[in-house]
């Protein structure tokens, strides 16, 4: 029995919380599960986003803690490969209490929807996000057709 | 039961109405004689979007990532999130001297220990 109003309040709170969870169930795709060193478990590292901007593609990759010397990008036609090594060292004179961020080397290859011009590719690294601008090759670019 | 109980709302489950999903950032925690050093992984978060609060012995890290992009997405494996994590900090931390820096998506938080908490070598005098 609900003897007090506060019990009823609490029940509705719990129901609201459950509803919130269901609302979010489909966009929980990049939640880090648990507290352990998940680095090794994630198969597709680094995670990437690809956007098609008509003339060019833009690829975002999540590479926290990596400097530009740690990263290597290879392109051939519509094949793109990002590889790198991350080293996490305990700073000099410190002892570690918790280390969740592991050292690892990785390679990820991606197939782009169309060929890109490897000479015009530019890459920037900002706040742990690698941004590659990949202009499409002439044949793959959208073209305006004039009607006679 | 007195009248107060009828209207008092007990602390229960509170739903966050913000739509941004919360993600736990991975952290490394180190310690030496002078300070505790915390590294938190927050790729894509800008310096101004990070807040660090210390309140009542709780350290709350929060960083909001909003990635600016345009064009049609061919695939999207990560999105806008809020990195959030709470730690309890020992009393021995000198809160006024806490400082933080952000480099390459890694937040480094320095938590200096207060003078009283640092280990001291006691000299023994010959009697």
């Amino acid at each position: 029995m609900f003897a007090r109003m506060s019990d009823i309040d609490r029940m509705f709170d719990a129901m609201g919380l459950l509803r919130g969870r269901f609302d979010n169930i489909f966009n929980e795709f990049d939640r880090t599960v648990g507290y352990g060193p998940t680095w090794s478990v994630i198969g597709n590292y680094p995670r990437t986003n690809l956007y098609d901007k008509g003339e060019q593609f833009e690829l975002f990759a999540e590479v926290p803690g990596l400097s530009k010397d740690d990263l290597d990008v290879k392109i051939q036609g519509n094949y793109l490969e990002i590889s790198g090594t991350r080293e996490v060292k305990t700073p000099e004179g410190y002892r570690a209490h918790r280390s969740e961020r592991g050292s690892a080397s990785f390679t990820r290859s991606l197939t782009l929807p169309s060929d890109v011009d490897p000479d015009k590719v530019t890459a920037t690294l900002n706040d742990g996000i690698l941004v590659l601008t990949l202009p499409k090759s002439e044949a793959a670019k959208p073209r305006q057709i004039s009607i006679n | 039961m007195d009248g107060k109980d009828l209207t008092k709302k007990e602390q229960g489950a509170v739903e966050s109405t913000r739509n941004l999903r919360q993600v736990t950032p991975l952290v490394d925690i180190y310690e030496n004689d002078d300070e505790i050093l915390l590294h938190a992984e927050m790729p894509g978060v800008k310096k101004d979007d990070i807040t660090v609060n210390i309140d009542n012995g709780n350290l709350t890290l929060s960083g909001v990532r909003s990635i600016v992009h345009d064009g049609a997405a061919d695939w999207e494996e990560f999105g806008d999130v809020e990195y959030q994590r709470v730690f309890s900090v020992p009393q021995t931390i000198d809160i006024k001297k806490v400082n933080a820096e952000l480099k390459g998506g890694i937040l480094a938080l320095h938590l200096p220990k207060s003078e009283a908490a640092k280990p001291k070598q006691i000299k023994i005098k010959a009697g």
Side-chain angles (χ1 to χ4, degrees):
Chain A
M1 278 304 289
F2 299 112
R4 297 188 302 171
M5 281 302 283
S6 58
D7 287 339
I8 298 171
D9 264 0
R10 220 162 25 199
M11 186 186 77
F12 280 115
D13 277 350
M15 283 161 69
L17 204 66
L18 186 68
R19 198 199 57 203
R21 289 302 297 259
F22 276 118
D23 283 348
N24 281 329
I25 207 157
F26 293 111
N27 47 26
E28 295 216 341
F29 62 99
D30 67 352
R31 176 181 285 274
T32 307
V33 179
Y35 282 75
T38 46
W39 180 272
S40 53
V41 184
I42 297 167
N44 52 351
Y45 183 84
R47 287 192 300 212
T48 57
N49 289 355
L50 184 76
Y51 300 102
D52 190 334
K53 297 173 77 176
E55 297 274 307
Q56 62 197 42
F57 292 110
E58 212 164 52
L59 184 101
F60 291 72
E62 235 183 3
V63 285
L66 285 152
S67 68
K68 66 179 168 57
D69 300 328
D70 301 329
L71 282 163
D72 208 15
V73 180
K74 268 184 229 160
I75 296 165
Q76 190 179 18
N78 67 345
Y79 172 82
L80 174 75
E81 189 182 280
I82 302 172
S83 55
T85 325
R86 178 167 96 157
E87 252 183 279
V88 178
K89 273 193 227 140
T90 305
E92 197 72 35
Y94 288 84
R95 58 184 186 279
H97 280 292
R98 182 181 263 283
S99 33
E100 295 171 355
R101 307 172 44 237
S103 301
S105 65
F106 59 86
T107 304
R108 185 162 184 202
S109 39
L110 304 160
T111 307
L112 300 169
S114 66
D115 285 6
V116 294
D117 189 343
D119 296 329
K120 291 183 189 151
V121 171
T122 55
T124 52
L125 187 61
N126 231 330
D127 291 328
I129 303 278
L130 174 74
V131 181
L132 292 176
T133 310
L134 308 145
K136 293 182 187 173
S137 63
E138 285 306 322
K141 274 185 187 167
R143 214 158 299 179
Q144 185 89 37
I145 308 292
S146 54
I147 301 160
N148 295 321
Chain B
M1 185 171 85
D2 57 25
K4 273 183 191 164
D5 273 346
L6 284 171
T7 50
K8 189 180 140 219
K9 188 177 186 299
E10 279 192 13
Q11 190 175 9
V14 178
E15 188 194 3
S16 160
T17 47
R18 282 183 300 177
N19 228 353
L20 214 54
R21 286 180 323 91
Q22 293 187 344
V23 172
T24 308
L26 296 180
V27 299
D28 285 349
I29 300 172
Y30 306 108
E31 183 179 353
N32 70 4
D33 290 348
D34 300 320
E35 62 170 18
I36 293 172
L37 174 64
L38 188 145
H39 284 172
E41 208 169 75
M42 297 182 169
V45 180
K46 305 231 166 8
K47 184 171 75 82
D48 297 335
D49 298 332
I50 295 181
T51 52
V52 180
N53 283 321
I54 301 175
D55 178 34
N56 207 7
N58 281 332
L59 168 77
T60 308
L61 280 186
S62 164
V64 175
R65 167 166 80 187
S66 41
I67 294 166
V68 182
H69 62 82
D70 52 5
D74 279 298
W75 67 73
E76 245 177 355
E77 291 167 354
F78 61 95
D80 292 351
V81 293
E82 180 184 0
Y83 288 99
Q84 203 195 42
R85 198 152 172 184
V86 183
F87 305 89
S88 8
V89 286
Q91 298 285 320
T92 52
I93 294 301
D94 192 344
I95 291 170
K96 288 191 190 97
K97 289 188 189 152
V98 171
N99 65 83
E101 70 222 35
L102 180 70
K103 193 178 170 244
I106 307 287
L107 178 77
L109 192 63
H110 297 269
L111 304 153
K113 295 179 188 174
S114 60
E115 282 304 320
K118 288 181 185 169
K120 281 194 190 74
Q121 186 86 39
I122 310 290
K123 278 199 183 121
I124 300 164
K125 286 176 199 154

